[in-house]
Amino acid sequence: MQALTPHVYWAQRHGEIYLRVEISDAQVRKTSGCSFRLCDFCLFCSFQGQGHGAKGENEYEFSLEFLKPVKPEVKHKSTQRQVNITVKKQEHVWWDRLTKQEKKPLFLAPDFDRWLDESDAEMELREKEEKINKINIESRVRKDPFLGLKKGFLFMYNLVQFLGYSWIFVNMTVRLFILGQDSFYDTFHTIADVMYFCQMLAIMEVINPAVGLVKTGVMPAFIQVMGRNFILFVIFGTLEEMQNKPVVFFVFYLWSMIEIFRYPFYMLACIDTEWKLLTWLRYTIWIPLYPLGVLAEAVAVIQSIPIFDETKLLSIPLPKAIGTSLSFSYILQLYLVIMFLGLFINFRHLFKQRSRRCRTKKRKAN
């Protein structure tokens, strides 16, 4: 019986050649199978099989003279519909074509299921190398036996903060719809206890990176937490005249709007879960809200300066030879400068986080 030539489809990577032979129920002969013959530094590949091909049940074989040398190692796997052959190149280079002859054999065609152009193949190769390097690094790094406990602690912390700020946001929103502008004037007396709790608990956001529980910077967290606590405890907490001002409403409302998206994002990150909408909100909504919050805090500081001057509260006494005291308002004026400097530092830090995440997302998409 004369052997027939099956349809052969091919694709390549920098180090391998993939051949797909269309033969149903193929049986590779033990005596011949896949073989190579060296000739003038070029290798000939022949494959023989018996099965149901394009022209029915026959004996099929083909041979190819590769463009460049390949290794005498062949992997082949038969399925009910085809035979897959993998041939390794001698050199990790990209071939312009498969065969030495420029004219492509009639039975040969590209395998578009596995086809990649050179740039895509290089990107695939880099991703494989990065994955291997990552695995090697992870295998060398000692696993933290307390990782589960740390994640559990961070999850509960973020959950408690989310519930606290959600209560503040919902309470203030409902009161705004029911009472209108009247809700501006008693915000502190209604919300302060929960806000005190949340902001005292927020000190953990400085401790967590300091002890290595999270990988964020200590300084941005310190600036934000201490800045808010200064406004809450010093400006609002010590001055009864400030507690009835509308600025309290805007400060508390802007703080809570930011946190009801930030804390659930970190909470889900503890269990390796991501919601795309929540991620987008977390890295987008702070862009308008964060500077508005700082602006509201600055208004509160400016409104408190005349009160501190009048009451002499927290003023620093000076020696009797000078005969006066240093008003706390001077410290507040200095704090205004530091506040906007902190805005710049935190804005820069948050934009870096956002850019880094966008680059990671693009790399995964490619």
Side-chain angles (χ1 to χ4, degrees), residues 166-235:
S166 296
W167 183 89
I168 292 171
F169 179 78
V170 172
N171 188 295
M172 293 180 69
T173 302
V174 172
R175 287 171 53 79
L176 179 63
F177 277 105
I178 295 175
L179 303 177
Q181 293 185 3
D182 291 340
S183 65
F184 292 173
Y185 302 99
D186 63 346
T187 297
F188 184 85
H189 303 288
T190 308
I191 304 297
D193 289 340
V194 180
M195 186 62 78
Y196 278 140
F197 171 78
C198 290
Q199 281 305 126
M200 285 189 292
L201 190 61
I203 296 174
M204 293 302 303
E205 296 185 27
V206 181
I207 299 175
N208 289 340
V211 299
L213 280 178
V214 294
K215 295 181 180 180
T216 56
V218 176
M219 187 55 65
F222 178 82
I223 292 172
Q224 179 171 318
V225 173
M226 294 301 109
R228 284 188 179 183
N229 284 345
F230 181 83
I231 298 295
L232 178 62
F233 290 96
V234 178
I235 304 298

